[in-house]
Amino acid sequence: MFEKLFSAPDDKIIKLMHTFSADPRADKIDLGVGVYKNKNGSTPIMHSVKKAENLLWEEQSTKSYVGLAGDFEFHDVMRDLILKNCVGEDCVAAAATPGGTGAIRQALELIKNTDPSTTVWISSPTWPNHPSIIGYLGIKQKEYRYFDYKTGCVEFENMLEDLSSAKRGDVVLLHGCCHNPTGANLKLDQWARLTEILLDGGLIPFIDIAYQGFGDGLDEDAAGVRYLVMNIPEVIIASSCSKNFGIYRERTGILMLVSHNKGDKIKNQKMLTYLNRQNYSFPPDHGARLVTMILKDPELRTSWEVELKSIQVGMLQNRESLALELCKQIGSDRFGFLAEHRGMFSLLGATEMQVDEMRNKYGIYMVSDSRMNIAALNLKAIHKLTEAIIAVKV
Ligand code: LMR
């Protein structure tokens, strides 16, 4: 049968990560994969994570199974982190998953199994793994306009126009904050107008929130999600702890089904548990346990929040420095949007040829759509990047 296997496509972000590693140039700059880097270019383990790991090593007495949906304490802390008290605990069913991607995959399987005629609407552009998984599962997908390449802003009226043609029961995949790849985000009044369109059209929001705390702050970044959850009867949420806890390889994520109909919780919980069993049985525990320990222990939590804040502020400084440097060098505010964007990424607006040229000539790696990892910049890289952007005439 192996001769019949189709040739699996590469993932452009992961492929770029390998190409970067293989590049022998000492002064190469990696603005590709979404991994935080400190000023020295490394991705350290957060202090709170290291401390929690030490404690766990001391205290944990068994590695036996936990539960098919993961540890309920993990559900509680994550529900509180993302939703605070905007809905009751009795409205939320949850399951731990292997990373945010695991949560997205489970949600899409649930959508497909429940109603195969559903169309999932995705932003144009979006994280490439969204259309990839949706296509792989054979689910129908359509794009809604999202990003205006000329202004670097959300094209909100066009987004609403596209979504108003969705049919009742369709699912709308939204980025909870820190839009990947563009960095352009909805403002709170836009979340409110979007909520009306979703309610009027009978559409179900599916929120992917993978960068909470990287934009404006933990609560600020969840404000749109909380608004939707308070106002829309059914919401799907996939969340990742990879970035804000820096535990990428531990594969820690969660899927939540929020229903205003309190009677739904038991059935929804059973479904999520069943889905986990079908795909991998028990979700990984290590990362979820560290997150639970950190969020429950006041000292660890403060340490985590302080470190996360400094990461967020560092990214804002990088944004401002890059926008300022470009403004100084080209004498216009054309790239001012870089300072307005939030989160780990910004879409520069370069062509694929310009991106190739920046990689080949300057050793600057960004994704082919010109997505840059802002968290990987430092002053030296900002100078070099500015030089390259001007030289290739973006
Ligand atoms: C990214 O967008 O670069 C990250 O989320 C890593 C990934 O899995 O693509």
Side-chain angles (χ1 to χ4, degrees):
M1 74 177 284
F2 293 160
E3 74 281 1
K4 293 195 208 129
L5 294 186
F6 68 86
S7 157
D10 287 320
D11 180 284
K12 63 179 178 185
I13 298 173
I14 309 304
K15 187 173 176 200
L16 189 71
M17 189 168 103
H18 296 306
T19 318
F20 177 82
S21 301
D23 185 336
R25 286 176 284 184
D27 59 347
K28 60 189 177 175
I29 297 172
D30 183 11
L31 306 181
V33 69
V35 170
Y36 169 74
K37 301 230 173 75
N38 65 16
K39 296 274 174 258
N40 309 320
S42 57
T43 307
I45 301 174
M46 291 176 94
H47 301 299
S48 52
V49 169
K50 205 65 180 157
K51 276 198 197 134
E53 280 190 315
N54 272 329
L55 280 172
L56 193 61
W57 186 80
E58 296 277 352
E59 289 170 4
Q60 194 168 50
S61 56
T62 179
K63 292 283 186 193
S64 177
Y65 293 126
V66 178
L68 286 173
D71 187 350
F72 288 109
E73 278 197 316
F74 176 61
H75 301 181
D76 290 342
V77 292
M78 289 302 288
R79 193 186 56 244
D80 181 64
L81 184 69
I82 301 168
L83 300 179
K84 270 272 163 63
N85 43 16
C86 68
V87 280
E89 177 259 329
D90 46 358
C91 295
V92 187
T97 55
T101 307
I104 292 166
R105 168 71 190 243
Q106 298 294 69
L108 289 168
E109 287 200 6
L110 179 136
I111 291 162
K112 184 182 173 184
N113 294 341
T114 310
D115 183 354
S117 73
T118 306
T119 297
V120 175
W121 290 75
I122 54 173
S123 66
S124 171
T126 190
W127 182 50
N129 217 16
H130 285 156
S132 177
I133 302 175
I134 298 169
Y136 177 73
L137 290 173
I139 299 173
K140 281 189 266 177
Q141 56 183 309
K142 278 192 183 153
E143 290 186 335
Y144 57 86
R145 283 170 288 172
Y146 184 82
F147 186 69
D148 182 340
Y149 287 83
K150 278 196 221 87
T151 61
C153 299
V154 176
E155 45 179 346
F156 188 61
E157 297 305 325
N158 290 337
M159 173 183 181
L160 294 190
E161 189 185 318
D162 290 347
L163 290 180
S164 61
S165 69
K167 68 174 193 315
R168 290 194 91 70
D170 278 354
V171 169
V172 181
L173 182 45
L174 299 158
H175 297 232
C177 60
C178 308
H179 186 269
N180 180 3
T182 68
N185 297 295
L186 297 180
K187 308 225 169 9
L188 202 51
D189 60 314
Q190 294 176 322
W191 281 103
R193 278 189 65 204
L194 173 65
T195 300
E196 282 168 30
I197 297 284
L198 297 171
L199 280 171
D200 287 351
L203 308 175
I204 296 152
F206 170 14
I207 300 162
D208 178 1
I209 177 158
Y211 297 88
Q212 189 184 356
F214 272 29
D216 290 306
L218 282 167
D219 286 327
E220 292 85 343
D221 290 351
V225 180
R226 290 175 191 171
Y227 187 89
L228 279 193
V229 161
M230 280 191 289
N231 290 286
I232 299 186
E234 292 185 357
V235 180
I236 303 169
I237 301 171
S239 173
S240 166
C241 302
S242 298
K243 326 280 168 161
N244 52 6
F245 287 86
I247 48 173
Y248 308 87
R249 64 176 67 169
E250 301 299 351
R251 310 311 301 139
T252 308
I254 191 163
L255 175 60
M256 294 190 219
L257 303 182
V258 186
S259 171
H260 287 195
N261 179 0
K262 297 191 165 79
D264 284 348
K265 176 164 174 175
I266 294 176
K267 197 168 71 171
N268 291 352
Q269 188 60 53
K270 267 192 97 169
M271 175 52 72
L272 294 185
T273 306
Y274 170 76
L275 267 178
N276 267 8
R277 181 61 162 167
Q278 303 321 301
N279 277 330
Y280 38 76
S281 284
F282 300 87
D285 178 68
H286 186 73
R289 194 153 299 277
L290 299 175
V291 167
T292 309
M293 290 169 76
I294 292 167
L295 293 180
K296 283 189 74 173
D297 179 292
E299 216 176 291
L300 291 178
R301 186 171 184 136
T302 304
S303 158
W304 172 67
E305 286 189 7
V306 168
E307 201 168 350
L308 182 60
K309 191 79 202 164
S310 80
I311 290 173
Q312 180 225 326
V313 170
M315 281 188 286
L316 281 181
Q317 285 166 350
N318 284 346
R319 291 189 170 284
E320 274 159 22
S321 308
L322 178 60
L324 193 72
E325 183 74 14
L326 279 161
C327 184
K328 265 203 257 162
Q329 300 295 333
I330 61 175
S332 111
D333 202 24
R334 239 187 83 215
F335 293 102
F337 61 83
L338 295 170
E340 303 305 317
H341 287 170
R342 286 294 180 271
M344 204 177 223
F345 307 114
S346 267
L347 209 57
L348 179 65
T351 63
E352 214 167 315
M353 258 170 67
Q354 290 166 331
V355 169
D356 287 347
E357 202 178 333
M358 283 192 269
R359 189 180 58 251
N360 296 335
K361 278 202 190 145
Y362 297 87
I364 296 174
Y365 282 71
M366 56 181 80
V367 185
S368 55
D369 59 3
S370 77
R371 186 192 82 172
M372 306 182 291
N373 176 4
I374 297 293
L377 288 171
N378 53 39
L379 279 184
K380 208 167 142 211
I382 286 172
H383 288 309
K384 195 166 166 188
L385 175 61
T386 303
E387 206 184 302
I389 289 173
I390 294 169
V392 306
K393 300 189 176 65
V394 177

